[in-house]
Amino acid sequence: MQFDLRKFIVSGTKPYAAEFQCDLSAKDFAGARIEQPVTARFEAVPDGEEIRMTLRANALVHGECARCLDPVEREETVQAEWTVRERDLDDPDFDLPLNEKGHLDVDEWLCQGFMFQIPTVLLCSADCPGLCPRCGKKMAECTCPPAEAEAEPADARLAILKSLLN
């Protein structure tokens, strides 16, 4: 969705609100995905010399646990607020995705919001033990003896390294 922010700042007297669908399925969020279109709500409210904008959306995020590689689904919410003045539109360091005509790319703003909201490390649970480093099974299913039970390394040449750990 494109919003003509420059025009709204100059001539907007009434609040603007829109609900729209945004497809983020082609985006990669550090390995996580948003497979279904997201319904977002955008509002712009004039407040004297300023425009207060809000953007809200919920999405079901899919990924895999960083420890055990099980599928993970979790809901994430973006709630972004921004205040803009006309002089901000000409600032080269303006942080919102704005083109040269003064149109705000609300879809890109939403994408950036999810980029910051979705954790870079997804876990199926906070206490997930992960995978066994020897057999590769989940730690809950692993039947390997504990590391302390192994007296000697598999290769005698590595015994000196084991002594460094003690």
Side-chain angles (χ1 to χ4, degrees):
M1 178 181 126
Q2 297 287 318
F3 179 69
D4 192 345
L5 186 56
R6 188 174 301 278
K7 181 178 176 184
F8 188 77
I9 287 175
V10 172
S11 62
T13 56
K14 296 179 185 175
Y16 173 82
E19 193 168 282
F20 64 98
Q21 292 279 317
C22 183
D23 184 10
L24 300 173
S25 61
K27 305 284 184 175
D28 179 30
F29 300 95
R33 300 167 318 283
I34 299 175
E35 297 173 351
Q36 301 297 321
V38 176
T39 300
R41 178 143 179 89
F42 171 75
E43 295 176 359
V45 178
D47 187 14
E49 297 281 320
E50 301 176 339
I51 302 297
R52 286 182 291 117
M53 298 183 300
T54 58
L55 180 63
R56 290 179 173 70
N58 293 332
L60 188 60
V61 176
H62 301 269
E64 61 183 29
C65 178
R67 294 182 186 157
C68 70
L69 306 178
D70 274 352
V72 175
E73 283 187 6
R74 61 185 283 165
E75 189 167 314
E76 291 293 341
T77 301
V78 165
Q79 294 186 13
E81 296 183 14
W82 205 272
T83 302
V84 181
R85 294 187 177 105
E86 186 174 10
R87 69 175 182 248
D88 296 335
L89 302 180
D90 297 321
D91 184 356
D93 296 326
F94 188 63
D95 288 334
L96 292 179
L98 197 68
N99 68 16
E100 64 280 345
K101 294 179 182 176
H103 293 131
L104 175 65
D105 187 346
V106 183
D107 293 346
E108 183 60 29
W109 186 21
L110 181 64
C111 181
Q112 290 174 3
F114 278 114
M115 188 68 72
F116 289 115
Q117 184 64 34
I118 298 171
T120 55
V121 177
L122 290 175
L123 298 176
C124 59
S125 68
D127 60 344
C128 175
L131 301 175
C132 173
R134 282 179 251 151
C135 69
K137 293 181 183 175
K138 292 182 190 176
M139 289 298 268
E141 302 168 359
C142 176
T143 57
C144 295
E148 302 85 39
E150 294 181 7
E152 293 295 319
D155 188 338
R157 295 174 291 177
L158 300 177
I160 189 71
L161 295 177
K162 183 165 176 74
S163 68
L164 293 174
L165 293 175
N166 295 335

